[in-house]
Amino acid sequence: MALASAERPVDNRREKVVRQFAITDAIFFNLSRAAAIIVLLLLGGVALSLIVGSWSALSTFGFSFLTTESWNPAKDRFGALAPIYGTVVTSAIAILIAVPIGIGIAVFLTELCPRMLRRPIGIAIELLAGIPSIIYGIWGLFVFAPFIQTTVQPFFINLFADVPVLSSVFAGPPYGIGLLTSSMILAIMILPFITSITKDVFDTVPSVLKESAYGIGCTTWEVMRRVVIPYTRIGIMGGVMLALGRALGETMAVTFVIGNAHRISASIFAPGTTISATIANEFTEADGELYTSSLISLGLILFFITFIILAVARFLLMRIEKKSGA
């Protein structure tokens, strides 16, 4: 009897602890689910508000809004082709420039850099991500663009003057500002994201894998190419997609140096515009319903471009994970 009475309080304490754990787990589950639902509601609300705000322009111009280059507020003629072209071209060039440089810096910091310099260089690169975009824009307009105008653009114009296709891509005159300049500013801005994420995922590679590769006579290049990068390719792609999302939506820095011209040119030296730059430049001046709706339509297009690119990136990551698991 005494033993049974002694076990009864122990069982009661256990039931109480289990009940507390169940309540805590239920609260955590509901809070997590609510947070996920809130995110979906916010995303749906943003999309719905953009659709409602752009309905006037979309119903007026229809599909031609996406295929028309003309942008004339005085005559209420609007087309999104030039901003879409500028957004895609500048982001693509920025990624092409920043990805190899960022991965190269990450390789240097993890494998080649002296240990005493790794932390200072890493902190300096991460601080670049904290510089406001307007600072990049001012620097690009007053320092970088004149340098491009007097050195880089004349060099490429003369170099490819007689090459059939490249003569159009690198056609003059050298304005300084334009698609290439804004792309290079974007590349500088997204470089810290690619470098930091790539460096962090490189640090997750088990040392035994790299030491084994070095032990069988592999060079640093072979270790990085055949061991480190295949092991971390999912993280690298995630960093690239994060940087691409930043490049697609960048506003102020691009506005300063792209030229803000609503036209499409084969030359990457020519002035152009992006969706974000167009909205930033003209939203306060929009004095009509159709004009305002056209600018909101540009925002809706940018929303879907970003969504599609990130969805495709996620699909590619899932395929890579599936192959890695197989």
Side-chain angles (χ1 to χ4, degrees), residues 225-242:
R225 179 186 176 188
R226 301 185 182 278
V227 177
V228 176
I229 292 180
Y231 188 89
T232 59
R233 56 187 175 182
I234 295 177
I236 294 174
M237 184 172 291
V240 172
M241 290 302 108
L242 177 64

Side-chain angles (χ1 to χ4, degrees), residues 32 42 63 65 72 108 114 150 177 194 214 223 230 236 257 296 318 323:
S32 301
L42 289 174
F63 186 76
F65 184 75
N72 191 341
F108 174 76
T150 57
I177 59 175
I194 298 175
Y214 284 122
V223 171
I236 294 174
V257 297
I296 297 176
M318 290 176 60
K323 291 182 179 179

